Amino acid sequence: MWAFCFILLTSYATLSECKAAAGKRHDVRHFPDGFLFGTSTAAYQIEGAWDEDGKSENIWDHLTHEDPCATKDCSNGDIADDSYHQYKRDVEMLRELGLDFYRFSLSWSRLLPTSFPDKINEAGVAYYNNLINEMLKYNIEPMVTLYHWDLPQKLQDLGGWANPNIVDWFGDYARIAFELFGDRVKYWITMNEPREVCYQGYGFVSMAPRLNIQGVAEYMCAKNLLVAHARAYHIYDEEFRALYGGTIGITLSTSWYEPESEREVEAAEDTTQFEWGQYAHPIFSESGDFPPVMKEKIAAKSTAQGFYRSRLPEFTPEEIEYVRGSSDFFGLNHYTSYLVYRNESVYTANEIPSYYDDMESMVYQPNHWDGSASEWLKKTSWGFYNLLMKIKNDYNNPIIYITENGFSTTSGLDDDDRILYYREYLDAMLDAIEGGAHVEAYTAWSLMDNFEWLAGYTARFGLYEVDFGSPERTRTPRKSAFVYKEIVRSRSLDWHYESDSTSMTIDEGH
Ligand code: GBH
């Protein structure tokens, strides 16, 4: 191991990498008492039934129908995993895995076909009631995300997250969801990954609605989305918490940004502040508001570029207070790490204005990092440890729920790479817990293969493989499903565990 490290030790990054690799991967390690395990999915990625029983169009229906080959394999989520009809099988899989909870999302346009509260779609309500009740029968807790990227198209026509009225629209939708399901749902997540919603969808082209209005639209989105999140939080806090006693927070996508060398420490920190500090700082820091480095850099550039005001909208003092502290836990999606450097000749190759020009940094992943079936995802568990410790230190040790973590492969049941990924990341998470990080739950992405956004069905994240050619979208456990099941059952990480089973059983009590 150390000889390997010596060869690799050419940069600051690989130092962290080696420290982690030299860890105690051959001990059996136990998870803390009360630690919770789950898996996660999202409505558009699994439900299908895109226009059934009164559901209206959302931005992913719209994008994939208008531009069928926007996705890598010219696919869409019209049927996806057909969970709208197969939900009992989904719950059976949760039972097979012996999970404590299941994170899924609600489809806004299925519940509210007009986008607004004037008409509630009873068939949509029945679907989620059936799913929730089926889970509760077997003591599997629902963890519900209100918004996982599938905005009603009508609201997009009105500007979507760039329109400040969305604070009311989202608040109304959230209240209805709390009224309908709050008696049984105790874990609520307002938004999944604002960074991906705003940067990829508004500032770039890699998510619907692909606005590509760079350096402008992603910041409008960020502000409105944060206030809308806070609106939902306060509605729950004031109108439902005393009644139902649940918990509510936000989920952020958080990569680890490692300086390429010691000279790049500031560049890496600035990148972190842009990439997820943008959403974490207003909610979890003591002062609230966008990170100072963002405010300064964007204001200065905006002036120089001839704008009359900063392209980064300001929060009013009331809004800062409203958003600050508006999350009971830090919902954390984490997959990978990047190296960062700053070099004017390279970053000025970006469009001006643009998000990466504002950030003044370059991020990349070296080729020797272990890859997955997704170009952006390399196995770097040392970054997970560093990230958890940074969140602990920067935001006064919040409760953390890992709401997504996982690895993609191509199809096939033998997924040793995924097993290794999960083991290394859980090991790193246990290191962070020993280091004092307040992690209380872990969620594997994903329960099963599903519609992977612009990658379509080419990248598979499932513990269960899905046969997209079969009418009932047959689900079959991969090797990793048996290993995850054993981790959950034994509440421990044992590197020697191997399973030769091919069929799942349901253990007593599930
Ligand atoms: C999650 O996003 C999603 O919540 C989930 O729906 C999805 O299926 C799952 O991960 C697997 O992808 O922005 O151009 O730099 C993961 C978020 C996606 C963030 C890729 C970083 C890198 C491309 N990540 N992204 S870019």
Side-chain angles (χ1 to χ4, degrees):
M1 183 55 67
W2 284 107
F4 169 75
C5 280
F6 186 74
I7 297 163
L8 274 186
L9 253 184
T10 49
S11 78
Y12 195 84
T14 47
L15 182 61
S16 305
E17 205 172 352
C18 288
K19 274 193 215 143
K24 29 188 164 177
R25 60 156 61 173
H26 296 296
D27 297 352
V28 177
R29 302 184 75 180
H30 297 279
F31 294 93
D33 288 345
F35 193 86
L36 300 174
F37 287 98
T39 58
S40 181
T41 60
Y44 185 76
Q45 294 180 275
I46 66 162
E47 284 179 6
W50 80 274
D51 65 346
E52 243 176 273
D53 294 346
K55 178 181 163 296
S56 68
E57 189 188 40
N58 65 41
I59 56 175
W60 278 91
D61 298 318
H62 189 80
L63 169 66
T64 56
H65 295 160
E66 293 284 298
D67 182 3
C69 289
T71 50
K72 213 170 173 179
D73 52 0
C74 304
S75 66
N76 57 46
D78 287 3
I79 303 176
D81 293 346
D82 196 31
S83 284
Y84 189 69
H85 302 109
Q86 309 292 339
Y87 73 91
K88 285 203 173 164
R89 172 66 182 130
D90 294 349
V91 176
E92 186 178 58
M93 285 144 59
L94 305 172
R95 296 170 62 205
E96 290 172 350
L97 294 170
L99 299 176
D100 302 309
F101 67 93
Y102 175 45
R103 174 177 179 243
F104 62 95
S105 79
L106 305 178
S107 159
W108 187 338
S109 65
R110 191 181 295 292
L111 284 171
L112 304 180
T114 69
S115 314
F116 304 113
D118 58 313
K119 187 169 172 287
I120 297 178
N121 177 16
E122 290 309 328
V125 177
Y127 168 64
Y128 294 116
N129 275 335
N130 289 339
L131 172 63
I132 291 167
N133 295 342
E134 181 74 7
M135 291 167 56
L136 289 176
K137 251 204 255 176
Y138 304 107
N139 296 317
I140 300 161
E141 288 283 332
M143 179 183 276
V144 172
T145 308
L146 291 171
Y147 185 71
H148 199 126
W149 305 357
D150 47 355
L151 195 74
Q153 180 59 34
K154 190 191 281 184
L155 298 185
Q156 193 63 57
D157 295 341
L158 291 167
W161 298 103
N163 183 336
N165 288 309
I166 202 160
V167 176
D168 288 337
W169 306 334
F170 185 70
D172 294 348
Y173 162 57
R175 181 183 282 105
I176 285 173
F178 301 147
E179 278 168 356
L180 289 170
F181 310 117
D183 57 336
R184 288 154 293 152
V185 173
K186 304 301 170 190
Y187 295 93
W188 290 97
I189 291 166
T190 55
M191 310 277 182
N192 182 68
E193 301 190 343
R195 185 264 184 199
E196 313 315 320
V197 174
C198 294
Y199 168 65
Q200 298 204 57
Y202 288 69
F204 201 55
V205 291
S206 40
M207 288 286 170
R210 308 181 87 187
L211 295 188
N212 203 25
I213 305 175
Q214 299 200 23
V216 175
E218 63 271 65
Y219 301 134
M220 292 181 178
C221 170
K223 183 194 160 179
N224 296 328
L225 185 149
L226 281 161
V227 179
H229 147 79
R231 172 69 63 84
Y233 177 86
H234 289 291
I235 288 173
Y236 190 81
D237 196 44
E238 285 154 26
E239 302 172 30
F240 297 91
R241 194 194 291 279
L243 197 58
Y244 295 138
T247 184
I248 179 165
I250 193 166
T251 279
L252 307 184
S253 48
T254 54
S255 297
W256 174 254
Y257 296 96
E258 179 78 18
E260 190 192 52
S261 70
E262 276 169 60
R263 279 188 307 129
E264 308 294 354
V265 170
E266 187 185 281
E269 177 59 19
D270 291 355
T271 302
T272 302
Q273 292 309 321
F274 269 77
E275 293 282 35
W276 50 265
Q278 182 174 171
Y279 303 96
H281 198 275
I283 298 173
F284 297 101
S285 74
E286 251 155 59
S287 54
D289 204 349
F290 286 125
V293 65
M294 281 190 76
K295 293 172 59 175
E296 286 154 22
K297 278 191 191 287
I298 300 170
K301 291 214 177 207
S302 300
T303 306
Q305 290 159 353
F307 289 88
Y308 285 4
R309 65 188 69 79
S310 178
R311 287 178 278 103
L312 182 69
E314 279 182 22
F315 287 108
T316 65
E318 295 73 32
E319 286 168 338
I320 289 176
E321 278 313 299
Y322 195 65
V323 172
R324 198 167 62 103
S326 63
S327 196
D328 299 333
F329 53 84
F330 196 126
L332 188 142
N333 288 359
H334 176 77
Y335 289 87
T336 200
S337 306
Y338 296 88
L339 295 185
V340 182
Y341 67 97
R342 187 163 271 169
N343 173 338
E344 204 169 343
S345 68
V346 184
Y347 68 71
T348 50
N350 288 308
E351 234 175 86
I352 298 174
S354 71
Y355 178 64
Y356 282 97
D357 180 66
D358 289 341
M359 199 186 300
E360 301 184 317
S361 58
M362 295 301 298
V363 303
Y364 74 101
Q365 296 176 311
N367 287 331
H368 75 270
W369 288 5
D370 296 326
S372 66
S374 307
E375 198 208 321
W376 53 273
L377 204 182
K378 310 260 193 247
K379 179 164 65 69
T380 52
S381 60
W382 50 271
F384 191 25
Y385 171 80
N386 292 345
L387 173 80
L388 290 168
M389 297 310 280
K390 180 174 175 60
I391 289 171
K392 166 185 179 286
N393 295 331
D394 285 6
Y395 303 118
N396 193 26
N397 203 6
I399 293 172
I400 297 174
Y401 297 159
I402 312 298
T403 43
E404 282 181 31
N405 175 237
F407 187 79
S408 62
T409 56
T410 49
S411 58
L413 298 178
D414 256 343
D415 57 346
D416 291 324
D417 289 358
R418 177 177 287 106
I419 293 172
L420 186 61
Y421 179 98
Y422 276 126
R423 284 180 166 156
E424 289 186 4
Y425 276 66
L426 285 168
D427 209 25
M429 183 187 80
L430 283 168
D431 287 341
I433 293 174
E434 277 179 11
H438 203 156
V439 186
E440 293 190 350
Y442 177 87
T443 319
W445 181 276
S446 175
L447 174 61
M448 58 191 158
D449 297 340
N450 54 52
F451 177 78
E452 177 54 15
W453 309 110
L454 290 190
Y457 299 98
T458 62
R460 309 292 191 101
F461 277 88
L463 293 167
Y464 284 71
E465 176 160 81
V466 176
D467 177 2
F468 293 102
S470 75
E472 55 294 335
R473 299 298 193 263
T474 307
R475 291 108 156 98
T476 311
R478 291 202 167 97
K479 236 166 126 179
S480 58
F482 294 96
V483 171
Y484 192 54
K485 177 187 171 113
E486 177 60 14
I487 289 169
V488 175
R489 189 201 62 78
S490 64
R491 306 275 150 178
S492 59
L493 185 59
D494 176 354
W495 289 82
H496 299 294
Y497 176 78
E498 272 189 62
S499 165
D500 51 12
S501 6
T502 47
S503 72
M504 278 282 186
T505 49
I506 294 173
D507 294 344
E508 224 172 299
H510 301 284

